[in-house]
């Protein structure tokens, strides 16, 4: 550690650098930007879940005030533009590739979900574009439709895409079926249950927006967009959709108001406004309305599963069998096939030493908006399944639910641990996080609290979830074998300026995570430069060499590690310059606290003296070293990282209304080394809020035909301040063994660990009502129904 | 087109607007005060909250013409001329009550009105209920609630400065 005062390095809860701008109204989000001469685009969207487009008559609309142009799917197709690409290919059980039907930028001949864009209206003002969109006459012939996975795979179901049998994009599996079946055949106990992981709408508070711009003087395109990964958008849109060389396509993602996965993907509107800009010879801006977002942003989750666990007479897990139908929506979004396969089934071992696992997953098309990664992406679905199943097994076998977990945990001395579903966990200590969570939540004192609640007529319950997840996405060679169509390394460029201030250019992207602070802390800690002289730049492909963006809790584990590598190079070069200036040998030069020193002496040069010498090389080893002090590093992780933890939830249910109140929530997480505890705590609290939202409130509900019923913030229940408890956060740290910082990632743990803790608490509260499982969200009508149905029976006792 | 004259953050502006122009559109597009945000279209999220004559109002549900003659304060107008932050802004920073920053302007404007209307002080429960009209997707509200309580102590003169958050 070095001598910065006040301490700003690793482990300090430094206040965020970005806050002043956000608190003063000086943030710059995409919709805050207006480009000179800009026009406004509005998309006319399908009101039908599935229909044939017979005709689009836009003659009247074209004559309306302010209209600049109207484009349809036919126009896009005529210009030779292909569809939106899927970034991850999954193979069927028989080795054949998944069905990957085209995803047109604008629908052509057929619409496949409510919200499928049919036409783009470009006008002088947004209001004029909206008025004109209403005047377009589209003749549709409605077709049959399917909204749920169970309906979609039923015999005779309407095909969302002609020729995709049983609407199944892929029929995939992992694990050894024969060994797993044998484990079940010899088991003392087997338990099973059916579960649904409810469909969610991510609802980042900033709606998506995009501005496409074309400069005819140099044939350069610029896209300003609400993205978590501008370089990925540049690659996907440039190379696979619009055929624009990367050298002539700049993608800027400025301040982005939350993403949670939903802003990873390459969306049709980004391509459409970029495509249109040279055609109308003006910039084209589109800003999504919230209600429009409900039918155009990728949704999350939406699994229907059957899970079975085999146990021996002592409660040791012998095997796990899972079948899952995963809703893909109408088209394959950018990373959709990876979510219910390699991000889900590979996590089914959980924290447990289950010797054999076999999982079968079908990715199923329906007439709904696309489903893709949402905070946790596959891992919340796996964790919910496992952690509910363990409670179901505890009830069936009569073994205490804590004891059952302890008996089956992977022991702390068993790492690295190879699971039967591909992953090798590098580190963890599940007993310790569990012990801490039990103590912090006063688990032992719960029965007294249950009695006190009962005395006032409330049903109190407590639930626990002990989870592990895989993030820090991801080793390129591994994900390449698994079907990823890109490498998942990260890039850092560190520029020490002549007078010693530093700019860090990162390929990750911050949309709430506080990277400008955390990354500056990393640099301050190593380079000995105060944080106010360190700037972090992200979100602009013209300023940053390359990058894969922010998702899967990867920014610090992968992007931060790239920074460490780049700093290693800076320090080595600085030592060479110092050796020259101090007339010492390289081996004798140490670097600490911003100073290069001849070991064991007081002869030293500051980083500023070295950087100045590097840029003003009057006295400089110019024959051996290039001038300048700037280094770029690519870091490809060796493994995923494996955060883990124990979440405890305590609830009270009012039997008169079925309303659940979350009384207390305790999270003990192992996220590896913590750089900024304040920010980590905030990430966990926010993740838990989304998890409680999934468990109790949120549900994207489609009717049987595919109309979204919960299609606005008036209908879809977002967690509000009075729905949530304070969330007590603490840590038990084991270091990641394979990255230079020992960090694991904290962005998703809250959303992964919490939903089963909540539902386990709800089921516990209803223990007198013979409830084995409750699907999320555990709404008041659902719980009231359970309680009310049991009233006559209870009254009779 | 009709004219609207209003004072925004102490400066008087006159603008021509359509009858259907919303106050938030006037602020963002005409006056280019983009700190006030639009997060929904059903008056649910509160990202657009500003003060009209000292009262918090959702500017997405207010016609620009309704603000004729009024004094409007937006997030840009909260800090004093020397740049000193309002105690609510200071408290949000101290308590890490913001992440992506998108809901923050509306959240801060609502919180100030909530505290001003309750000089007797607010319990945690009352703060949570008072935030019913503002949605944050990032923080889980835990730190927002703490920040508002800390700001209230300063706004009501119980403390000179925002109480430090525990590290």
């Amino acid at each position: 550690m070095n001598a910065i005062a006040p301490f700003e390095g690793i482990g300090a809860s430094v206040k965020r650098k970005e806050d002043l701008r956000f608190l003063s109204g000086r943030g710059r989000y995409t919709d805050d930007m207006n480009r000179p001469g800009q026009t406004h685009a509005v998309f006319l969207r399908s009101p039908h879940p599935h229909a044939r487009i017979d005709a689009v008559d836009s003659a009247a609309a074209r004559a309306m005030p302010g209209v600049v142009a109207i484009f349809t799917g036919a126009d896009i197709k005529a210009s030779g533009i292909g569809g939106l690409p899927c970034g991850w290919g999954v193979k069927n059980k028989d080795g054949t590739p998944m069905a990957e039907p085209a995803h047109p930028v604008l629908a052509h001949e057929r619409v496949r979900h409510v919200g499928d864009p049919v036409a783009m209206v470009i006008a002088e003002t947004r209001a004029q574009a909206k008025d004109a969109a209403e005047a377009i006459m589209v003749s549709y012939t409605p077709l049959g439709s399917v909204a749920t996975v169970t309906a979609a795979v039923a015999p005779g179901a309407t095909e969302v895409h002609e020729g995709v049998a049983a609407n199944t994009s892929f029929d995939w599996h992992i694990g050894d079926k024969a060994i797993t079946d044998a484990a079940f055949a010899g088991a003392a106990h087997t338990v099973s249950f059916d579960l649904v992981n409810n469909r969610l709408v991510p609802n980042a508070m900033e709606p998506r927006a995009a501005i496409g711009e074309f400069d005819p003087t140099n044939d350069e395109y610029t896209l300003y967009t609400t993205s978590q990964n501008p370089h990925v958008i540049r690659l996907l849109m440039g190379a696979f959709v619009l055929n624009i060389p990367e050298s002539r396509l700049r993608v800027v993602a400025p301040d982005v108001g939350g993403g949670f996965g939903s802003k990873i993907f390459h969306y049709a509107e980004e391509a459409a406004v970029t495509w249109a800009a040279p055609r109308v010879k003006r910039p084209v801006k589109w800003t999504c309305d919230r209600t429009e977002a409900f039918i155009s942003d990728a949704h999350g989750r939406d699994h229907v599963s059957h899970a079975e666990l085999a146990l021996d007479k002592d409660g040791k897990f012998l095997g796990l069998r899972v079948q899952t139908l995963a809703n893909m929506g109408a088209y394959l979004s950018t990373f959709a096939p990876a979510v219910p396969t390699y991000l889900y089934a590979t996590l089914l071992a959980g924290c447990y030493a289950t010797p054999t696992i076999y999982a079968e997953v079908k990715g199923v098309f329906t007439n709904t908006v696309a489903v893709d990664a949402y905070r946790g992406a596959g891992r919340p679905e796996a964790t919910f399944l496992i952690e509910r199943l363990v409670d179901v097994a505890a009830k069936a076998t009569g073994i205490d639910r804590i004891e059952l977990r302890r008996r089956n945990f992977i022991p702390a001395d068993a790492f690295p641990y190879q699971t039967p579903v591909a992953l090798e966990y590098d580190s963890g200590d599940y007993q310790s996080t569990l012990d801490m969570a039990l103590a912090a939540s006063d688990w032992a004192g719960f029965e007294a609290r249950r009695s006190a609640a009962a005395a006032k007529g409330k049903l109190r319950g407590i639930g626990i979830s002990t989870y592990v997840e895989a993030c820090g996405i991801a080793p390129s060679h591994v994900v390449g074998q698994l079907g990823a169509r890109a490498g998942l390394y990260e890039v850092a460029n560190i520029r020490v300026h002549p007078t010693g201030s530093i700019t860090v250019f990162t390929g990750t992207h911050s949309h709430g995570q506080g990277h400008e602070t955390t990354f500056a802390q990393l640099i301050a800690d190593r380079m000995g430069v105060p944080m106010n002289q360190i700037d972090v730049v992200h979100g602009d492909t013209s300023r940053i060499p390359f990058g894969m963006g922010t998702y899967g809790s990867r920014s610090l584990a992968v992007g931060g590690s790239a920074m460490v590598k780049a700093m290693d190079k800076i320090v080595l070069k600085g030592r060479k310059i110092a050796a020259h200036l101090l007339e010492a040998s390289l081996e004798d030069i140490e670097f600490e606290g911003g100073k290069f020193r001849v070991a064991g002496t007081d002869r030293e040069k500051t980083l500023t003296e070295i950087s100045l010498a590097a840029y003003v090389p009057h006295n400089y080893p110019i024959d051996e070293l290039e001038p300048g002090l700037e280094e770029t590093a690519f870091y490809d992780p060796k493994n995923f990282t494996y955060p883990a933890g124990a979440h405890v939830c305590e609830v009270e249910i009012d039997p008169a209304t079925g309303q659940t109140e979350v009384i207390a929530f305790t999270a003990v997480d192992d996220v590896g080394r913590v750089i900024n505890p304040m920010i980590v705590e905030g990430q966990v609290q926010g993740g838990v809020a989304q998890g409680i939202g999934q468990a109790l409130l949120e549900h994207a509900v489609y009717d049987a035909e595919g109309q979204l019923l919960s299609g606005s913030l008036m209908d879809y229940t977002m967690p509000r301040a009075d729905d949530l408890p304070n969330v007590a956060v603490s840590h038990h740290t084991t270091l990641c063994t394979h990255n230079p910082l020992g960090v694991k990632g904290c962005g998703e743990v809250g959303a992964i660990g919490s939903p089963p803790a909540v539902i386990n608490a709800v089921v516990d509260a209803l223990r007198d009502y013979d409830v084995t499982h409750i699907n999320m969200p555990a709404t008041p009508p659902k719980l009231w129904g359970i309680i009310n149905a049991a009233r006559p029976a209870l009254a009779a006792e | 087109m009709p004219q609207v004259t209003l004072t925004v953050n102490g400066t008087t502006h006159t603008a021509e607007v359509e009858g259907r122009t919303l106050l938030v559109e006037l602020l963002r597009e005409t006056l280019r005060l983009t700190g006030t945000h639009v997060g929904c279209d059903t008056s649910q999220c509160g990202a657009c909250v500003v003060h009209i004559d000292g009262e918090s109002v959702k500017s997405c549900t207010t016609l620009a013409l309704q603000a004729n003659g009024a004094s409007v304060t937006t997030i840009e107008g909260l800090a004093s001329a020397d740049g000193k932050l309002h105690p609510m802004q200071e408290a949000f920073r101290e308590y890490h009550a913001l992440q992506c920053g998108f809901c923050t302007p509306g959240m801060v404007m609502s919180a100030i009105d909530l505290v001003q209307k309750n000089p007797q002080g607010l319990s945690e429960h009352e703060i949570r209920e008072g935030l019913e009209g503002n949605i944050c997707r990032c923080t889980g509200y835990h730190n927002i609630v703490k920040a508002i309580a800390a700001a209230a102590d300063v706004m009501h003169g119980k403390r000179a400065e925002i109480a430090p958050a525990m590290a």
Side-chain angles (χ1 to χ4, degrees), chain A residues 448-459:
Chain A
R449 297 193 293 280
R450 194 196 306 262
S451 301
K456 53 179 183 149
K458 296 287 179 67
L459 303 168

Side-chain angles (χ1 to χ4, degrees), chain A residues 78-101:
Chain A
S79 73
I81 297 305
L84 301 172
C86 178
W88 199 298
V90 164
K91 287 196 165 58
N92 293 307
K93 286 173 180 169
D94 63 6
T96 56
M98 67 185 186
E100 196 176 351

Side-chain angles (χ1 to χ4, degrees), chain A residues 32-45:
Chain A
D32 297 342
M33 293 193 278
N34 284 336
R35 304 299 300 161
Q38 154 187 300
T39 60
H40 296 264
V42 162
F43 290 88
L44 179 67
R45 297 179 184 276

Side-chain angles (χ1 to χ4, degrees), chain A residues 415-457:
Chain A
F415 295 94
Y417 181 83
Q418 177 65 51
T419 75
V421 275
L423 299 178
E424 186 188 84
Y425 301 165
D426 66 331
S427 65
D429 180 357
Y430 309 143
Q431 299 279 4
S432 294
T433 45
L434 173 60
D435 287 339
M436 282 180 66
L438 295 176
S441 62
D442 186 24
W443 183 279
F446 173 72
E447 287 306 326
R449 297 193 293 280
R450 194 196 306 262
S451 301
K456 53 179 183 149

